[in-house]
Amino acid sequence: MQPTFARDERTPTLITSVSRALAVLDCVGSASRPLPAKFIARATALSLGTTYNVLRTLAHSNYVVQDSDGFVLGPAHPALAADSGAVALAQGRAVLNGIRDELRVATYLSRYVDGEIEMVDIVDGPLSPRVDLWVGLQDGAHATAFGKQILAQLDPQSRLDYITRHPLEELTPYTICSPREFLRRLEPRPAVTVDLQEYALGFTCLAVPVATSSWLGALAVSFPASGARGTVHQDYAKVLQDAATQLAVVLGVNPEHGQGQ
């Protein structure tokens, strides 16, 4: 990228370093996951050395923050004053990291947007591998604990509309495929939903609601199906519920709202 110099009073002079910084910020801010420097360099067509220099400068001013998986927007970025994916990623990631480190399990944050269930962030590690999302959420959310938790928070008509648009495909022998049975289990709006090898064989998942005035989402963990049962599930659920309350606080919203959408 070469600097552009003004030829007359009507042609602005572009400062190359500012253009590069804006390109990097746009790249990081539009992503739903932390981005490694190499990915940012490719996406912005900058050299890796230049990308590192820009990121170092932005990090010094807290416009970006380096996480173990890459870079996310930092607290100084104006986007964090609005409700966006960047808010959930930058402010919620510390909460997800805390769950992973305490329980040594993979942690997931998802939300309901425009009639669809989407993954906001996943935090895992060498001792806490994530479930391979081998089936996209449009076809497989019904088999996940977080998908069921989100659907449980919807009103009955919206819940029915979702499963009408997204047939309950059988992903494993344990997947609940009967619409009547599926809706029956969600009707009480359980405080904790469970996926017992319904999405992927060998994995169990627990989820709790993230109840806010602007979010309809779920916080979940996954672990080997044989790794925890009974009272351990209760302990995991308690950690998740406490963390969901923290997320409501860091997102700057009222945790008493969010049942509906």
Side-chain angles (χ1 to χ4, degrees):
M1 183 181 297
Q2 298 297 324
T4 301
F5 298 97
R7 294 183 178 179
D8 57 46
E9 293 181 355
R10 294 172 298 175
T11 304
T13 299
L14 303 183
I15 302 175
T16 304
S17 58
V18 174
S19 297
R20 290 170 175 167
L22 291 174
V24 169
L25 284 173
D26 285 343
C27 182
V28 174
S30 63
S32 60
R33 298 295 312 281
L35 296 182
K38 289 183 179 180
F39 180 93
I40 297 171
R42 290 195 300 269
T44 57
L46 297 174
S47 71
L48 185 57
T50 297
T51 301
Y52 273 120
N53 287 336
V54 173
L55 288 169
R56 189 178 300 113
T57 302
L58 293 173
H60 179 75
S61 300
N62 287 324
Y63 275 81
V64 300
V65 174
Q66 185 172 13
D67 185 83
S68 58
D69 295 330
F71 290 86
V72 299
L73 292 183
H77 195 285
L80 297 188
D83 176 36
S84 67
V87 175
L89 182 61
Q91 297 186 352
R93 197 146 232 268
V95 178
L96 271 64
N97 280 330
I99 299 171
R100 178 200 58 192
D101 295 343
E102 179 177 353
L103 301 180
R104 295 192 176 183
V105 295
T107 310
Y108 310 77
L109 178 63
S110 55
R111 70 181 299 186
Y112 183 78
V113 180
D114 297 329
E116 299 296 337
I117 295 172
E118 66 176 31
M119 185 63 67
V120 176
D121 200 7
I122 304 175
V123 169
D124 60 1
L127 300 177
S128 52
R130 69 183 66 183
V131 174
D132 178 18
L133 298 178
W134 64 284
V135 176
L137 293 187
Q138 281 200 336
D139 298 318
H142 66 282
T144 67
F146 58 79
K148 288 190 282 185
Q149 183 58 249
I150 288 174
L151 293 174
Q153 296 177 68
L154 299 178
D155 62 79
Q157 186 58 43
S158 298
R159 196 180 303 145
L160 179 61
D161 173 70
Y162 183 90
I163 68 168
T164 300
R165 292 184 291 109
H166 303 81
L168 307 181
E169 301 291 345
E170 182 179 349
L171 305 186
T172 78
Y174 303 99
T175 306
I176 300 171
C177 299
S178 164
R180 178 176 297 181
E181 176 63 15
F182 186 79
L183 292 173
R184 184 188 70 79
R185 296 195 184 194
L186 297 186
E187 186 59 36
R189 292 191 174 186
V192 181
T193 48
V194 184
D195 153 21
L196 298 172
Q197 303 190 75
E198 296 167 45
Y199 181 88
L201 291 175
F203 282 93
T204 292
C205 182
L206 304 179
V208 301
V210 178
T212 75
S213 59
S214 58
W215 267 66
L216 197 164
L219 183 63
V221 294
S222 67
F223 44 89
S226 60
R229 296 182 182 278
T231 57
V232 177
H233 282 195
Q234 296 175 14
D235 292 341
Y236 283 12
K238 180 62 168 60
V239 171
L240 279 174
Q241 289 165 338
D242 290 345
T245 300
Q246 292 179 50
L247 278 174
V249 173
V250 299
L251 289 172
V253 290
N254 186 346
E256 294 181 357
H257 298 89
Q259 298 290 323
Q261 199 69 284

